[in-house]
């Protein structure tokens, strides 16, 4: 068991021409913490992770690992001196080396006697379930196995920080789920701190101790997954972490945390995490888990079923209402297209934000 780096990124800026890839981004990762940075393509995730790895240099700002400043101005600690390892989306294995040799490559700089060298490699391959495939070359391994070799290579030297750059994107859904669990377990077992970047919200929620939602080179909110989901600080955070639809209305009344929003003839109670005022035009962001077909709960509107998708545990319906459509309305039974249904919307999972001009 290792003690992971505490990582502090302070006011990081990186420009490519006039474009700010990192726009004054700050982030703190505690020792041993698993942090996921979630954001759309182009939001600056790779630039940040590459700066941590030492492949990219910040224009201004600092990066600290513990008390050691690794990047600021002329200070730029070489990647191999940072005690970290990275797992890439495309595995980045040497095609001419076997799985065993690929894993061993990460130990090259260590002054180890050959027996302990071999033992470490075998143990890393065992931990990812590939003990019997050490002599295979990458082209003799499946995509999932290649990523496991990359994972073994990342952990073999027991680094203090693991960086993951969308490592599951090239894998099938079922394999993605299994490898996600392995990444989560192994990282926590070795005690390393981790920064994992992804645009996939379900991956982020499943893996993270804390999620940072990144947009245009800065972090809009960083919190535990539950807080990000239940109290999104901005409209961007709310939409990027999953909505089944958005209704537009006007604030009719307001209390500290909740408000009543008029939508034409109907009214819906919702929560708000930012200040609103009576008469303000708002967008109601409805979380997928907020909706339920029922005829007796409050906060209800009329709808018509437009589509049904079977999901194993039950059915997800798309519905049309007078105020717009919603997807992912779950029921254990299926309702046919065209059927009229009342749908209730849990006010705790429906969040009002000031309307954004399009
Ligand atoms: P993400 O990983 O979130 O997709 P990136 O960090 O790759 O985002 O990119 C952030 C922004 O910086 C994007 O607009 C991208 O086009 C730009 N960018 C990244 N690398 C370079 C580069 N080497 N030269 C010019 N622009 C770049």
């Amino acid at each position: 068991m290792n003690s992971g780096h505490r990582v502090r990124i302070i006011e990081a800026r990186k420009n490519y021409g006039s474009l700010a890839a990192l726009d004054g981004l700050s982030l703190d990762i505690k020792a041993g913490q698993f942090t996921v940075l979630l954001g759309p393509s182009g939001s600056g995730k790779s630039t940040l992770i590459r700066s941590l790895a030492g492949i990219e240099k910040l224009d201004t700002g600092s990066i600290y690992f513990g008390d050691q400043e690794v990047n600021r101005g002329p200070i730029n600690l070489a990647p191999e001196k940072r005690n970290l390892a990275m797992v890439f989306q495309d595995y980045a294995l040497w095609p001419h080396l076997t799985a065993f040799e690929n894993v061993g490559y990460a130990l090259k700089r260590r002054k180890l006697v050959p027996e302990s060298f071999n033992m470490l490699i075998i143990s890393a391959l065992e931990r990812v379930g590939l003990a019997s495939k050490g002599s295979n070359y990458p082209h003799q391994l499946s995509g999932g196995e290649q990523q496991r070799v990359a994972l073994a290579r990342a952990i073999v030297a027991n680094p203090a920080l693991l960086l993951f750059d969308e490592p599951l994107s090239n894998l099938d859904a079922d394999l993605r789920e299994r490898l996600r669990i392995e990444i989560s377990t192994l990282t926590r077992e070795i005690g390393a701190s981790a920064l994992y970047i992804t645009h996939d919200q379900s991956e982020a929620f499943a893996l993270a101790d804390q999620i940072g939602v990144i947009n245009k080179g800065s972090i809009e909110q960083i919190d535990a997954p539950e807080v990000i989901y239940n109290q999104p600080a901005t409209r961007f955070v709310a939409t990027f972490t999953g909505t089944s639809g958005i209704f537009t209305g006007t604030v009719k009344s307001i209390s500290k945390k909740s408000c009543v929003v008029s939508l034409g003839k109907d009214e819906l109670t919702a929560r708000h995490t930012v200040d609103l005022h009576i008469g303000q035009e708002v967008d109601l962001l409805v979380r997928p888990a907020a909706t339920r077909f029922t005829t007796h709960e409050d906060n209800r509107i009329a709808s018509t079923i437009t589509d049904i998708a079977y999901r194993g545990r039950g059915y997800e319906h798309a519905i049309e209402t007078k105020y717009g459509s919603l997807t992912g309305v779950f029921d254990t039974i299926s309702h046919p297209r065209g059927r009229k249904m009342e749908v209730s919307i849990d006010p705790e999972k429906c969040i009002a934000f000031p309307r954004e001009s399009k």
Side-chain angles (χ1 to χ4, degrees), residues 14-17 19-22 39-50 56 165-166 197 214 217:
K14 175 83 185 174
N15 288 302
Y16 294 110
L19 182 122
L22 297 177
S41 170
S43 56
K45 304 182 296 296
S46 303
T47 305
L48 182 74
I49 210 167
R50 290 163 62 82
E56 203 80 72
D165 184 354
E166 308 235 7
I197 62 175
I214 182 172

Side-chain angles (χ1 to χ4, degrees), residues 189-351:
E189 263 172 27
I190 71 167
S193 311
L195 183 71
Y196 185 109
I197 62 175
T198 180
H199 62 272
D200 180 328
Q201 41 122 339
S202 67
E203 228 169 272
F205 280 101
L207 276 165
D209 296 323
Q210 65 168 358
I211 297 179
V213 181
I214 182 172
N215 184 26
K216 296 184 185 146
S218 66
I219 290 181
E220 295 220 351
Q221 184 173 9
I222 181 148
D223 265 311
E226 296 83 352
V227 180
I228 296 277
Y229 197 78
N230 294 319
Q231 291 152 45
T234 65
R235 187 186 200 279
F236 177 82
V237 172
T239 43
F240 203 71
T241 51
T243 60
S244 75
I246 301 176
F247 297 147
T248 299
T250 312
V251 178
K252 186 181 172 208
S253 66
I254 193 157
S255 66
K256 197 156 172 256
K257 282 200 174 141
S258 76
C259 57
V260 176
V261 174
S262 304
L263 312 163
K265 283 192 184 140
D266 290 295
E267 283 176 0
L268 285 178
T269 303
R271 289 192 324 120
H272 59 98
T273 56
V274 297
D275 284 343
L276 300 174
H277 58 81
I278 290 173
Q280 188 168 7
E281 291 244 304
V282 287
D283 286 334
L284 281 185
L285 277 65
V286 182
R287 290 291 199 199
T291 51
R292 224 151 78 85
F293 293 123
T294 170
T295 48
H296 55 269
E297 278 172 29
D298 290 342
N299 235 29
R300 231 172 46 231
I301 52 176
S303 79
T304 308
I305 308 285
T306 55
D307 192 40
I308 314 120
Y310 178 54
R311 296 287 186 218
R313 285 178 307 119
Y315 300 84
E316 280 178 4
H317 301 80
I319 59 171
E320 193 59 48
T321 76
K322 261 194 268 177
Y323 315 110
S325 55
L326 294 177
T327 55
V329 186
F330 185 82
D331 206 340
T332 50
I333 54 168
S334 79
H335 302 286
R337 284 181 185 80
R339 179 179 282 176
K340 307 247 179 265
M341 301 284 291
E342 298 267 299
V343 65
S344 80
I345 295 175
D346 180 349
E348 287 296 310
K349 298 189 177 80
C350 168
I351 307 156

Side-chain angles (χ1 to χ4, degrees), residues 40-114:
S41 170
S43 56
K45 304 182 296 296
S46 303
T47 305
L48 182 74
I49 210 167
R50 290 163 62 82
S51 305
L52 284 173
I55 312 166
E56 203 80 72
K57 202 163 163 295
L58 300 179
D59 294 340
T60 60
S62 326
I63 298 174
Y64 285 87
F65 290 167
D67 293 329
Q68 186 183 21
E69 196 167 26
V70 296
N71 182 199
R72 180 166 60 90
I75 305 168
N76 193 25
L77 192 68
E80 62 276 13
K81 294 197 175 139
R82 295 188 176 203
N83 192 13
L84 55 80
M86 191 151 160
V87 180
F88 301 88
Q89 184 174 344
D90 60 1
Y91 324 136
L93 300 177
W94 294 108
H96 61 290
L97 299 182
T98 63
F100 187 92
E101 290 162 345
N102 264 288
V103 176
Y105 199 83
L107 293 172
K108 271 209 154 160
R109 289 170 185 281
R110 305 247 166 154
K111 295 187 178 60
L112 295 170
V113 289

Side-chain angles (χ1 to χ4, degrees), residues 138-153:
H139 74 272
Q140 298 168 319
L141 297 167
S142 70
E145 287 169 340
Q146 289 183 52
Q147 195 54 304
R148 285 205 172 89
V149 174
L151 190 56
R153 179 182 58 187

